[in-house]
Amino acid sequence: MGHHRPFTSLEGYIRDRLEGMPQNPFLDAMPMYIATRLCELLGFVLEYGPNLKISEGTEDDLSRAGQTGFDALQAGEQGLYAALDTLVSPIGLRTVRHRSDLGAFFEWLSPSTIGAEFEPLRARVRDYIFRTYPCREGDIVLGQACPQTTKYSIHGAWKSLGVQRERMNRFLLAEGVAQKNEGEPEIRLHDGLSAEDLTRLSEQMSSRLTISEAANVLNVSTEFLTLLRKSGIVAPVVDALDQVPKYERQLLDSLLEGLASSVTPRSGRADDMVPIIEAARRIRCPATDIVQLVLDNDLDHVARDANVSGLAGFRVRLSEVRAALPPLEMDGVTKGEASTMLRVTYQTINYFIEEGLLRSERIRNPKSRQFLDAVSSESISEFKRNYETLGQLAHRFKRASGPLGCHLEARGICPFETPQGISWYYARNGLDHRLNKAGLVVPDVHQSSPPRV
């Protein structure tokens, strides 16, 4: 070595080792010429990359490379693996390219004529390649075949799982183990896929159930499953593999376990208990409301039929369900109540609905929980803002409706044209002003008798 270069740590190691002073158990276990060459070749690739051939390096390059490799190997075997980690290219995680990544270092260990004393080092490097790159079973690396696939590329993964590549790509992206860079046609793994990763992905794929499969697990109809989803009791995920909503088997099992935990030891007479769906039909309430009552432990008695699987096997007592359900708020009134409120005939309410002045809605009676045709409260309020019936005017001015209607017509205050038998009604816009001009005033409530028209 030239005297114009400073004395390196590697040279110091060689001197001390020759003098019988071991310092690095990992290097000391190798013959001297292998240990020094390992430092040079590993350091050469670390310093100058995998594309420069060792024959192209100068004496100064090799000296610098030897020092770099020696520094990396101060941590022993783990230092070797850490140095190799820095040489693995991102694309190497999805294709077998250890030869081009490791460059001159790999070529040094590759010849089949290399001596047996190199085998411990070759074994370490070979095992590193097998567990880092997606080598297939049987691939030959440094003289030996890969015993089994330990790292999978995307190609190897979809071949192993029997999943179409496009579907596999969607799944890997959704799971966050891969990314797709703009301008690149293929996705890129963040890390190689291990056999354990494939097992986990396979289990995850199989644990996601279609709507019909999930309904079978719960032993309910797909329509009821949809109601459970809308109520928030179960929540599907949009499966990246098939691009459709699916249900996690574990979450469905957790739902059934939650219901089972509410089963009471003494549930009363069997004939007093009915299945949840039957209870909902008889009480006329959503079955999901009863499911929620069971999950919230709001019922004193819950039974489970051991011969019926899934949600269909749970039974409840009708009287307890009725008492536990929250009272309904009726956002409407019956047609009879509407006719009383507007002071018109029942037939007039039907006419107003036909004309779009009122809205008919199917709502549930808060007591009987039966559905009935009713008139929307909102539409009644809207009607009152825009119109006033003759009956309402008669009540306001304390007059008989028949004579009052004739008096208003005589003063030019005419109702909307309606068929015979339908109560009269007027537009409220400007009505009070015209009534005042006609001399109509609201009488004093203390007045003994109303004035005559």
Side-chain angles (χ1 to χ4, degrees):
M1 296 184 181
H3 296 289
H4 62 283
R5 288 180 286 101
F7 195 72
T8 66
S9 299
L10 175 58
E11 291 169 340
Y13 165 78
I14 295 172
R15 180 198 60 200
D16 292 342
R17 181 168 172 177
L18 290 173
E19 294 177 356
M21 295 185 292
Q23 298 180 22
N24 187 314
F26 178 65
L27 293 176
D28 294 343
M30 305 176 192
M32 175 75 80
Y33 71 96
I34 295 180
T36 55
R37 196 59 171 162
L38 168 61
C39 292
E40 287 180 344
L41 268 295
L42 178 63
F44 188 79
V45 182
L46 291 172
E47 280 286 340
Y48 306 110
N51 296 324
L52 187 65
K53 296 179 180 179
I54 192 69
S55 59
E56 297 174 353
T58 65
E59 186 176 346
D60 286 341
D61 291 338
L62 292 178
S63 176
R64 181 178 178 183
Q67 182 60 47
T68 299
F70 181 72
D71 290 341
L73 294 170
Q74 288 300 296
E77 184 175 354
Q78 294 307 313
L80 171 65
Y81 298 144
L84 295 178
D85 283 342
T86 66
L87 299 175
V88 178
S89 60
I91 196 175
L93 299 176
R94 52 190 172 100
T95 186
V96 181
R97 51 174 291 128
H98 53 274
R99 182 180 294 272
S100 56
D101 280 350
L102 306 185
F105 175 72
F106 183 82
E107 296 302 326
W108 171 55
L109 296 174
S110 293
S112 58
T113 55
I114 197 169
E117 64 274 19
F118 281 85
E119 188 52 35
L121 176 59
R122 276 163 49 104
R124 289 186 173 95
V125 175
R126 182 190 306 117
D127 290 344
Y128 173 84
I129 291 171
F130 284 157
R131 68 174 179 265
T132 303
Y133 291 88
C135 299
R136 295 168 298 181
E137 186 174 347
D139 285 352
I140 304 297
V141 175
L142 296 178
Q144 289 192 16
C146 179
Q148 62 181 9
T149 302
T150 57
K151 282 287 183 179
Y152 291 81
S153 64
I154 294 176
H155 176 84
W158 65 260
K159 290 282 285 185
S160 176
L161 295 176
V163 178
Q164 292 179 353
R165 182 158 190 161
E166 183 179 349
R167 298 174 70 230
M168 170 65 76
N169 287 355
R170 289 199 304 266
F171 190 78
L172 294 178
L173 288 171
E175 291 301 306
V177 298
Q179 67 182 35
K180 191 175 192 314
N181 295 332
E182 187 175 354
E184 291 187 4
E186 295 292 334
I187 69 172
R188 175 179 296 183
L189 290 170
H190 295 309
D191 196 1
L193 291 172
S194 65
E196 291 77 13
D197 291 332
L198 285 195
T199 300
R200 177 179 58 82
L201 292 174
S202 177
E203 290 174 351
Q204 199 160 344
M205 291 176 189
S206 61
S207 69
R208 290 185 174 178
L209 309 179
T210 64
I211 292 176
S212 58
E213 290 171 338
N216 287 336
V217 169
L218 296 180
N219 195 15
V220 297
S221 66
T222 55
E223 292 78 12
F224 186 42
L225 179 61
T226 299
L227 294 177
L228 290 172
R229 176 183 62 79
K230 290 181 178 179
S231 65
I233 294 176
V234 297
V237 294
V238 177
D239 184 60
L241 195 62
D242 296 319
Q243 300 289 286
V244 295
K246 287 191 176 181
Y247 294 82
E248 296 281 2
R249 175 61 186 261
Q250 182 179 357
L251 296 180
L252 299 180
D253 290 340
S254 295
L255 170 61
L256 294 177
E257 290 171 6
L259 292 170
S261 67
S262 299
V263 172
T264 51
R266 298 175 182 175
S267 300
R269 303 193 318 272
D271 58 356
D272 192 31
M273 309 287 285
V274 297
I276 288 176
I277 296 178
E278 171 66 12
R281 185 188 67 79
R282 291 169 63 174
I283 297 177
R284 300 179 184 271
C285 72
T288 52
D289 287 357
I290 303 181
V291 172
Q292 194 62 58
L293 290 176
V294 176
L295 292 174
D296 293 340
N297 291 308
D298 288 337
L299 302 178
D300 294 331
H301 299 87
V302 177
R304 188 177 189 181
D305 189 339
N307 298 320
V308 181
S309 65
L311 192 147
F314 292 91
R315 304 169 72 88
V316 294
R317 182 173 291 172
L318 293 178
S319 58
E320 291 183 357
V321 173
R322 285 194 180 96
L325 285 172
L328 294 174
E329 293 184 5
M330 228 179 115
D331 190 22
V333 297
T334 65
K335 291 181 180 180
E337 291 171 332
S339 66
T340 300
M341 292 172 63
L342 299 181
R343 298 183 181 275
V344 295
T345 63
Y346 189 91
Q347 292 82 354
T348 302
I349 295 298
N350 288 327
Y351 172 79
F352 285 164
I353 292 173
E354 292 173 1
E355 293 296 309
L357 302 175
L358 294 175
R359 289 190 301 277
S360 176
E361 291 185 355
R362 191 160 174 76
I363 60 179
R364 187 178 289 137
N365 187 297
K367 294 182 179 179
S368 68
R369 290 186 175 265
Q370 292 183 340
F371 283 99
L372 50 85
D373 290 326
V375 181
S376 161
S377 297
E378 183 182 357
S379 70
I380 291 177
S381 298
E382 185 177 345
F383 181 91
K384 288 180 176 181
R385 287 194 297 269
N386 297 319
Y387 308 102
E388 191 165 3
T389 67
L390 178 59
Q392 289 174 309
L393 288 172
H395 177 72
R396 177 151 65 116
F397 292 104
K398 309 301 182 189
R399 306 292 179 92
S401 58
L404 177 60
C406 295
H407 176 73
L408 294 178
E409 275 197 304
R411 299 300 181 93
I413 303 175
C414 301
F416 286 96
E417 185 176 349
T418 57
Q420 186 173 1
I422 301 301
S423 303
W424 290 1
Y425 69 104
Y426 304 80
R428 285 195 60 86
N429 186 22
L431 179 60
D432 286 341
H433 176 70
R434 287 181 289 158
L435 292 174
N436 288 334
K437 289 185 66 174
L440 284 171
V441 293
V442 177
D444 188 339
V445 293
H446 300 294
Q447 191 171 334
S448 59
S449 60
R452 299 177 62 82
V453 175

